[in-house]
Amino acid sequence: MENMAEEELLPQEKEEVEVAQVQVPTPAPAPDSAPAPAPDSAPTPASAPAPAPALAQAPALSPSLASAPDEAESRNKQSCPLCPKEKFRACNSHKLRRHLQNLHWKVSVEFEGYRMCICHLPCRPVKPNIIGEQISSKMGAHYHCIICSATITRRTDMLGHVRRHVNKGETKSKYIAASAAKPPNEILKEADTDVQVCPNYSIPQKTDSYFNPKMKLNRQLIFCTLAALAKERKPLECLDAFGATGIMGLQWAKHLGNAVKVTINDLNENSVTLIQENCHLNKLKVVVDSKEKEESDDILEEGEENLGNIKVTKMDANVLMHLRSFDFIHLDPFGTSVNYLDSAFRNIRNLGIVSVTSTDISSLYAKAQHVARRHYGCNIVRTEYYKELAARIVVAAVARAAARCNKGIEVLFAVALEHFVLVVVRVLRGPTSADETAKKIQYLIHCQWCEERIFQKDGNMVEENPYRQLPCNCHGSMPGKTAIELGPLWSSSLFNTGFLKRMLFESLHHGLDDIQTLIKTLIFESECTPQSQFSVPTPSNLKQEECGVFIKTTDDTTPDNYIAQGKRKGNETVTTLAKRQKTDVSTEHPPFYYNIHRHSIKGMNMPKLKKFLCYLSQAGFRVSRTHFDPMGVRTDAPLMQFKSILLKYSTPTYTGGQSEGHVQPASEDTVADRVEMSMNDKAEASSCRRW
C-alpha cells in the first residue's frame, strides 16, 4: 500500500514542479525597473517578493537529477513474460515472483521435468462479444504443448492431450529439439530415396508439405501397381496430383527409370520449391514448363549421372487433369477425393489406372454418417464389416464418376486399413463398359438384429417388403423394422487375382518386404481359399487375361499371342468372354465377412481361427481370411450355417480339459435350436443399442 501511495503521489509532485516552472516568467517586469538579475546574483527586496526565490530555484534543478529516482526505480521493476502489459504492469521482483507462483505455477502441467504454465498473451484470441454498441475482445488463457505446439485452453484437456502423446510414443519436445543446433529441414530416407521435409512435417495444419511416415505401406502398394502396369506398355505418363514433398513421384522415377515419365503437381509454392530441391537431392533433373532448369546441371558433381527427368507443375489438380492425358493417375488429397474424380476420368487413357487414397476415415467408417451422406451420397451405419463397407463406398463413387465420362472400371484391388482407404481401378472406355459398371452399384439390405446382409435384387417391380430377401427370419419374429438399406455400394469383386500376383512378383523384384504379407493375404482373399498352399509366382506364369485383353508381361512370345499389347480384342471374343464371366459367377469372392468373436456363443470356448477355417472348408464352403479384420472370416456360408459350425466345434467353458474337435457332436436339430436361441438372446440384449 505504501508503494502504491508513492506511485500515486509521484505524478502530483511532477505537476507541482511543472507549475512552478511555468509560474516564474508570468509576473511582468515594472517599466522603470531594471532587467532581471542573473540566477547567481541575490535578488533585492524591491525587485521580487519573498517566496519568489523558492519559485525561481525550482527550475534551477536539472531534469536528470529530478528523474534519477524514477529511472532507478523503473530499472528494478520487471514485467511478467506470460501476461500482457495491460493486464499486469511492471513491478518489483518479489511481487513478480509471487504473481508467477500464484497465477502461473500452481495451474501448470508437468511433463518429463518441464512445466507448461498458463499463458495470457494474445496467442489464442477469443471471438469478440458485442455488448450494446461496444465490442469487447478478450484474450483467452491457454497452454502451449511442447510436443506438437498446440494451444489448449483447459488444464484437464491439456492433461489428456499430453497423455495421448505418451500413449502414441511421441515424447520428443519440439521446443527442446529446436533449441539444439540442427538444420531447419530434416532429411529422411525411404526405399533408397532421400526426401527433405520441413519442421512439423507430420502435422498437416502446421506445414505446407505434409509427409506421413505411416503411409509407407500405401506408397509401396502404389509403386508395385505402377511397376506391374509398366510391364504392359511403356513409357507411361504418370501423375502424382498432390505431391507435397514429392516422395512418391521420386520413387517412381528413381526405380522405374525410362519406363515412366513422371509429373509431380502441387498448388502450394513452398511445396513446389521443396519438390525441386528433393529432385536435385536424388540426382534427378527438374523440368518446369517444358524447360530444363539450368542450375540442375551445376548441382551435380563431377562423375555423377542424371537418373531421369521429372516435370514439376504448380496448378490446380482439376485443371491439370483436364489439360493433359495420362496413363496412371494417383489422387491423395487431404480428406475426401470426390472433388477430383470427374477430372481424373476425363482424359485418362484406355486401360489406364486410377488410384484413389481417401483419408476421411471418420465419415467412411461411419463415425460421421452425415459427412458420408454429403460427400458420397451414401447411407451407412456402423457394422462388423465397416471397413469393407468403406471400400465399397469409395469404389461406387469412382464408378459413378467414370460412368459420367462414358467409361467403365475394373477394380484391381481395394485396401482399407487404419489410416486410409486405397482403391485402384483400371479404366475401360466406351458406353457399354459404363453401363456394365453402373449395373454393379446396388443397395445392401442389412439386418440390425443378427447382422445378416444381402445385396438387393434388381427388378422393375416394387416389393412390398424387400427385407424378406434376407436369409434370416428376423423380419417375421421381431417387431418393427428389423433391417435397413445401406448404399449405394459396389456389389462386384474387389480384387483381381492375376494383377495381385504380378504385384507380388514386383515386390519381390524390388525388395519391398513390408507389403508382401499383405499382398499374399489379398491373393487368398480374392480366390477365397485358405493359406494352406502357396507358390511364389514366376515370370513364366504371369501371362493373364484381363477385361478382354491379353496382358503380355515377360518373355512370352508364343504365336497365340497375336494381339498387340494394350489393344482390345474383337467383338466376338469380348462377347464370348462376357458369357463365360456370367456363367462362372462362383469365381468371384463372396461379399463381406463375419467376425468370429462377434458371433461367439456365450459360455463356449471357440476353436482356433485356423481350425475353424478348416471346419468350414470341410463343410463344403469357400473360406479365407481377410485383411479388413484380423479375426474376420470371408465365406459364402449363410450366417445360420456359420453359427452352427462354430457351435458344433466349440467346447463348454467348464470342460477345459477336452481338446478342440473331440467333443461329442450334437445333432443338427439341437445345433439349430441353440443357434436360434443364442440369436434371440443377442437380439434382446441389443434392443437398447438398436433403439
Side-chain angles (χ1 to χ4, degrees), residues 402-419:
R404 285 192 292 268
C405 300
N406 284 336
K407 295 181 178 69
I409 64 169
E410 184 210 6
V411 183
L412 299 180
F413 67 90
V415 175
L417 298 178
E418 182 181 1
H419 305 286

Side-chain angles (χ1 to χ4, degrees), residues 229 233 235-241 252 261-265 311 313 315 317-330 343-344 346-354 427 429:
L229 180 63
R233 58 185 187 271
L236 296 173
E237 291 281 347
C238 308
L239 172 64
D240 183 8
W252 300 347
K261 294 181 180 179
V262 181
T263 301
I264 305 177
N265 176 69
K311 187 171 184 179
T313 58
M315 63 178 66
N318 286 322
V319 176
L320 178 61
M321 289 185 289
H322 272 286
L323 293 176
R324 292 179 53 190
S325 299
F326 295 96
D327 298 292
F328 182 87
I329 296 177
H330 175 61
S343 303
R346 180 63 60 185
N347 284 332
I348 188 71
R349 294 194 177 104
N350 190 27
L351 301 179
I353 289 180
V354 176
V427 181
R429 280 194 172 182

